[in-house]
Amino acid sequence: MNNNPIGIFDSGLGGLTVVKAIRRLMPNESITYFGDTARVPYGNKSSELIQSYSLQIADFLINYDSKIIIVACNTATALALKVLQDKLTMPVVGVVKPGVEAALKITKNNKIGVIGTLSTIGSDVYKNELELANDAVKVTSRACPLFVPLAEEGWIDNPATKLIAEEYLKELRQANVDTLILGCTHYPLLTDVIQAVMTDKTKLVDSAHAMAVNASDLLVEHNLSAGRNNNGHLKLFVSDFPARFETVAKRFLGEEIANVEKIQIDTI
Ligand code: DGL
């Protein structure tokens, strides 16, 4: 048993989708979250940069006694998970594997779509993992870089978002995918518009829930689960704009959020 927090990070608010899923599944677990709002987006940055950001944030979370680290960012998972796992002594998990496993369970026609940032799609991490698991699977991938600022901006049901989604998702509709992996933790915030464009013939895979289940198994496996009566608390840190983050976090998580703290990124 271990009541220390789970450390979670993302480039901004996207990782809150994972926080929400974990709070729902394991309310007794405490969470320390870091949203790198000063340096978002990660999706168009080099792997060297993402690896150094990820190592820096992981150290910060470890200083806050995190018992495991969840990389709640597909870009950081694609580009830095291996480096984190090699360098850190604690369990470190990312969002790609749970999303891949969930999609493989859902698909009936073996046509799976993946959307993500330029870096995630460029890394081919999803395509490789899916094809490795099942060589009958046909993967169609598309980078949707504008989805991140739209989600950060809260343009959830804006007509401009619908138009952009129609353009981005055209090929995926033509490819007749029956399953679409939301390969960026920001995208579940745009679920309604993505689902409307893809129609209900396509099942969306939000890796946040799959990630939460995976994290729960990992805690059990390492004997790190919090006590049943532990009152799981949530502590949020960001590298810029704490007030704005607090408003979005409150709305999105549907719970009162105590002070979001700003951390000067060059001091950690
Ligand atoms: N939320 C992040 C992801 O899952 C990336 C968004 C970004 O910083 O570009 O890829």
Side-chain angles (χ1 to χ4, degrees), residues 10-11 14 40-43 73-75 117 120 148 183-186:
D10 176 50
S11 57
V40 68
Y42 278 12
C73 172
N74 288 264
T75 307
T117 64
T120 301
V148 171
C184 172
T185 49
H186 279 69

Side-chain angles (χ1 to χ4, degrees), residues 95-104 126 130 181 205 207 210-211:
V95 277
V96 171
K97 203 162 152 267
V100 163
E101 287 169 357
L104 289 168
Y126 274 101
L130 285 162
I181 300 179
V205 177
S207 41
M211 182 70 256

Side-chain angles (χ1 to χ4, degrees), residues 46-56 79-81 83-84:
S46 69
S47 32
E48 292 75 25
L49 208 52
I50 301 305
Q51 285 166 8
S52 84
Y53 291 174
S54 300
L55 283 166
Q56 186 190 23
L79 304 179
L81 181 65
V83 174
L84 291 169

Side-chain angles (χ1 to χ4, degrees), residues 110-154:
N110 280 341
K111 291 181 182 159
I112 299 180
V114 183
I115 53 175
T117 64
L118 284 165
S119 303
T120 301
I121 298 304
S123 75
D124 272 340
V125 62
Y126 274 101
K127 189 170 179 332
N128 294 341
E129 294 262 347
L130 285 162
E131 290 175 354
L132 191 71
N134 180 352
D135 58 13
V137 162
K138 169 115 184 55
V139 182
T140 308
S141 309
R142 178 72 159 101
C144 306
L146 292 174
F147 279 174
V148 171
L150 290 168
E152 289 273 331
E153 197 63 30

Side-chain angles (χ1 to χ4, degrees), residues 195-240:
Q195 187 73 70
V197 173
M198 293 307 294
T199 78
D200 52 13
K201 280 192 249 155
T202 305
K203 287 241 168 334
L204 304 189
V205 177
D206 162 359
S207 41
H209 175 70
M211 182 70 256
V213 174
N214 186 287
S216 161
D217 294 345
L218 186 79
L219 291 175
V220 171
E221 184 191 323
H222 290 266
N223 204 16
L224 288 173
S225 304
R228 234 179 260 165
N229 297 326
N230 188 48
N231 189 8
H233 66 267
L234 173 61
K235 178 68 195 152
L236 301 171
F237 293 96
V238 291
S239 46
D240 208 357

Side-chain angles (χ1 to χ4, degrees), residues 10 18 23 47 87 96 148 166 190-191 202 233 241 249 264:
D10 176 50
V18 175
R23 302 272 292 160
S47 32
K87 291 226 161 134
V96 171
V148 171
E166 274 163 1
L190 303 177
T191 294
T202 305
H233 66 267
F241 289 127
Q264 199 62 37

